[in-house]
Amino acid sequence: MAVGVLIVDDSVFFRRALRELISADDRLIVVGEAANGREAILKACQLKPDIITMDVEMPIMDGISAVREIMNRCPTPIMMLSSLTKAGAVATLEALDAGAVDFYPKSSSDAKEALGDGARLLTIRLRLLAARKQRQAIVTQTAARGPSTVAAHHAEQGVIGRRGLVVIGSSTGGPAALQAVLQEIPANFPVPIVIAQHMPASFTGPFASRLNGSMALNVVEAKDGMPLVAGTAYIAPGGKHGEVQCRAGALVFAEREPAEGENFRPSVSFLFQSAAQAAGPDVLAVVLTGMGDDGTEGARVVRAASGHVWAQDQASSVIYGMPAAVAKAGLTEAVLPLKEVGAAISRSVR
């Protein structure tokens, strides 16, 4: 059964390019189009698409306001299409706060060029996000019949010492997941936290600032050579790799330019590997929602160094790709619902 997509954009040229892209995928079908936010709300509730692509800036009603209304009236997975500017990043983060589940960056104002070589990735993400909606319906039906017989294995307390650190990897669905996790961690958390979230370079600074203003924990965008201190979460800058190094007995953040073919930027696996090399058994690596398998090889290095690996469970993941890959490889010591991850991390230091 094809996934029904509602396209929302004020540019007729961009709508046409997006329609052609979606129509080329035999598992996707365009069920409607809208030129502004108000029209998007009406068509979302009328057509009941499986997923919506939403522009940010539009006349009559903008995309952020439309997301809020759609999530209130007829909740539907929404993929924001946003520019790579700082203003575009801020608006996209507001849309994610309003209920959108993912975003895809437009690289230019030209429709064909904006969708670019990564257009196939967009269609894959649309299918996966729509599948999540169907999976949630199944989970809801199952819950109504009674408790599940499948239990997640839980996290032990005090698994790392105060000379260690926590490293977190996330991708699709990560911005909301990270906020849910970090807001449960106190300001006096005794070790640093370093995060690799798949994001464009222009997004990680505004994302860190937004998180910092909404919780007790200090959150910053990491910079090359920055000392890693307790009570602070460091967001690795987009477009580069972030690593942890031990210099003169202290933990320091280091940037590395990606090599050709290294598509995950920042790479969760590279962050995990460096953390294991810098802190050995005193590393807790947490894999949150995301598409693909980034983090699996890094988790393998963490476990080989006697460190610890936890993963988000399937039911609470927007995309159960990254955590599934780690669990399938037999590397997880705990599998947790999102609502329990932050509290478990808070208890993880001896």
Side-chain angles (χ1 to χ4, degrees):
M1 184 176 179
V3 171
V5 184
L6 172 63
I7 298 172
V8 184
D9 200 294
D10 63 325
S11 166
V12 63
F13 301 105
F14 198 88
R15 291 201 306 272
R16 181 183 303 153
L18 197 52
R19 182 172 64 248
E20 291 174 358
L21 170 67
I22 291 170
S23 299
D25 189 316
D26 58 8
R27 286 167 288 184
L28 298 173
I29 183 172
V30 176
V31 297
E33 298 180 17
N36 59 68
R38 185 178 298 170
E39 189 178 350
I41 297 167
L42 295 174
K43 290 197 173 183
C45 296
Q46 175 188 0
L47 300 173
K48 295 181 172 53
D50 296 303
I51 191 163
I52 300 169
T53 66
M54 181 77 71
D55 190 20
V56 176
E57 296 183 7
M58 294 179 291
I60 304 178
M61 180 182 284
D62 63 85
I64 300 169
S65 300
V67 169
R68 292 194 182 98
E69 283 298 311
I70 290 171
M71 299 312 293
N72 182 49
R73 297 188 192 185
C74 46
T76 307
I78 299 175
M79 163 85 76
M80 303 303 298
L81 299 180
S82 57
S83 70
L84 286 169
T85 64
K86 183 176 180 179
V90 171
T92 300
L93 293 170
E94 289 181 9
L96 294 175
D97 284 347
V101 293
D102 195 15
F103 66 93
Y104 185 86
K106 298 179 184 178
S107 57
S108 77
S109 58
D110 178 81
K112 293 285 188 182
E113 184 181 335
L115 294 172
D117 295 334
R120 182 174 174 273
L121 177 61
L122 172 59
T123 59
I124 293 173
R125 284 160 72 167
L126 290 173
R127 293 199 307 267
L128 289 173
L129 291 169
R132 176 182 181 252
K133 180 183 178 182
Q134 297 166 354
R135 188 177 77 237
Q136 285 180 320
I138 294 172
V139 169
T140 301
Q141 293 171 4
T142 303
R145 291 196 294 267
S148 172
T149 58
V150 179
H153 45 290
H154 296 287
E156 294 184 11
Q157 299 183 27
V159 295
I160 61 174
R162 290 174 178 256
R163 294 179 63 83
L165 77 160
V166 174
V167 285
I168 302 175
S170 53
S171 185
T172 307
L178 286 168
Q179 181 165 355
V181 169
L182 296 180
Q183 67 187 8
E184 297 297 322
I185 300 176
N188 63 348
F189 188 62
V191 301
I193 301 171
V194 185
I195 298 163
Q197 160 68 42
H198 295 162
M199 265 187 174
S202 57
F203 278 58
T204 45
F207 179 51
S209 297
R210 196 172 190 85
L211 289 175
N212 189 56
S214 64
M215 59 190 63
L217 190 70
N218 186 38
V219 184
V220 300
E221 183 182 35
K223 305 295 182 185
D224 189 46
M226 183 178 282
L228 301 177
V229 299
T232 300
Y234 300 84
I235 307 293
K240 299 180 180 180
H241 294 316
E243 298 180 342
V244 177
Q245 296 180 357
C246 185
R247 301 177 185 173
L251 296 176
V252 174
F253 182 84
E255 292 181 2
R256 181 170 71 78
E257 291 295 331
E260 186 176 352
E262 294 176 349
N263 296 322
F264 298 121
R265 306 177 180 191
S267 164
V268 177
S269 276
F270 287 172
L271 173 63
F272 285 7
Q273 289 169 15
S274 68
Q277 291 164 1
D282 281 327
V283 172
L284 170 60
V286 182
V287 183
L288 299 179
T289 174
M291 187 172 75
D293 62 357
D294 187 23
T296 300
E297 291 309 309
R300 200 181 308 278
V301 175
V302 170
R303 291 303 303 273
S306 299
H308 308 272
V309 178
W310 299 349
Q312 185 176 348
D313 71 357
Q314 181 175 8
S316 64
S317 294
V318 172
I319 299 292
Y320 191 56
M322 286 166 48
V326 175
K328 185 177 180 180
L331 300 171
T332 55
E333 294 175 309
V335 176
L336 304 168
L338 180 62
K339 63 182 180 180
E340 296 181 13
V341 175
I345 291 175
S346 297
R347 301 188 298 267
S348 66
V349 184
R350 291 189 294 274

